[in-house]
Amino acid sequence: MSDADTEPLTVDDELLARARIHARTVDIDVDWDHLEWAVSARAKRRAGLCRWEHSREVATIVLSRAAYEAYEWETFASVVRHELIHAWEYQQFGESGHGERFRRVAARLEAPRHCPSFTEPRYVLRCQNESCDWRATRHRASKPVTTPERYRCGSCGADYTVEHSDSGRTWTCSSGYGGVKAALGEEW
Ligand SMILES: [Zn+2]
Ligand SMILES: [Zn+2]
């Protein structure tokens, strides 16, 4: 056995394998020989996109790893179908948008009409009790984010830690929150 056989599948491998298998079940006349797939580890807002290289006549579907991790599979699969429609349009017409033609195919394939976007939560709350896997997310600096000492884990009642997603900085009380916010300045 070579090393490649024994290496565990990465999240990206799994994402691509599932996306490709799903794509083959979709009733759309895509030229698979002129379709490429990629994973973006950086994309935090767009779940997927489709690029068209006119000179090679190749469409590339780029899927976001963060979206794969954040979404239920059914939602992520609908993103794959959305991007497949773009690939098909590029291959057939040399251009693609979200117009009437796109809308019709999207309705037939039960794909969202608009490029699915998502936002990573700004804050993640995690229980401090190691045997508890309670986790919650917040998009705004609400009270449970700014004054965590006044709240408890929603599952076991222990204290929790708040993490600022972008920086990975954490705090457990309001003065910690203030300190991190001040330290990050413009990166907040
Ligand atoms: Zn789109
Ligand atoms: Zn807990």
Side-chain angles (χ1 to χ4, degrees):
M1 238 200 249
S2 71
D3 282 353
D5 291 328
T6 56
E7 263 177 46
L9 282 184
T10 65
V11 171
D12 292 0
D13 294 336
E14 178 192 292
L15 183 171
L16 287 176
R18 294 183 79 183
R20 282 189 165 112
I21 289 167
H22 178 67
R24 292 293 187 144
T25 69
V26 178
D27 181 19
I28 189 166
D29 192 19
V30 166
D31 175 356
W32 305 105
D33 293 335
H34 290 87
L35 178 67
E36 294 178 358
W37 299 86
V39 176
S40 170
R42 288 193 313 268
K44 303 279 192 208
R45 288 187 187 282
R46 293 185 73 179
L49 60 89
C50 183
R51 279 199 218 105
W52 175 241
E53 237 179 289
H54 189 73
S55 55
R56 291 168 63 220
E57 300 209 322
V58 165
T60 302
I61 292 177
V62 183
L63 298 165
S64 154
R65 183 195 299 161
Y68 178 70
E69 289 177 327
Y71 284 166
E72 297 293 325
W73 168 250
E74 278 312 312
T75 308
F76 194 77
S78 74
V79 172
V80 172
R81 295 197 293 281
H82 178 103
E83 303 309 336
L84 269 180
I85 301 168
H86 281 309
W88 171 77
E89 284 197 323
Y90 280 129
Q91 290 177 349
Q92 296 288 322
F93 312 105
E95 48 89 26
S96 183
H98 298 105
E100 187 52 30
R101 179 180 63 211
F102 190 98
R103 193 192 61 74
R104 277 200 311 271
V105 183
R108 184 170 64 78
L109 299 180
E110 293 178 36
R113 181 176 181 184
H114 293 287
C115 273
S117 66
F118 74 109
T119 320
E120 255 205 334
R122 271 179 74 73
Y123 310 99
V124 182
L125 285 50
R126 284 190 192 86
C127 183
Q128 289 178 22
N129 175 355
E130 280 179 17
S131 60
C132 174
D133 58 9
W134 182 81
R135 182 180 176 278
T137 57
R138 292 287 183 278
H139 287 281
R140 288 162 208 251
S142 56
K143 288 255 162 67
V145 168
T146 60
T147 56
E149 69 272 26
R150 292 172 49 197
Y151 298 84
R152 293 288 177 268
C153 160
S155 174
C156 76
D159 291 332
Y160 61 83
T161 302
V162 184
E163 179 186 307
H164 177 249
S165 300
D166 279 355
S167 64
R169 299 274 204 129
T170 61
W171 59 89
T172 56
C173 60
S174 56
S175 62
Y177 163 77
V180 170
K181 191 169 182 184
L184 287 176
E186 298 212 325
E187 288 171 62
W188 179 254

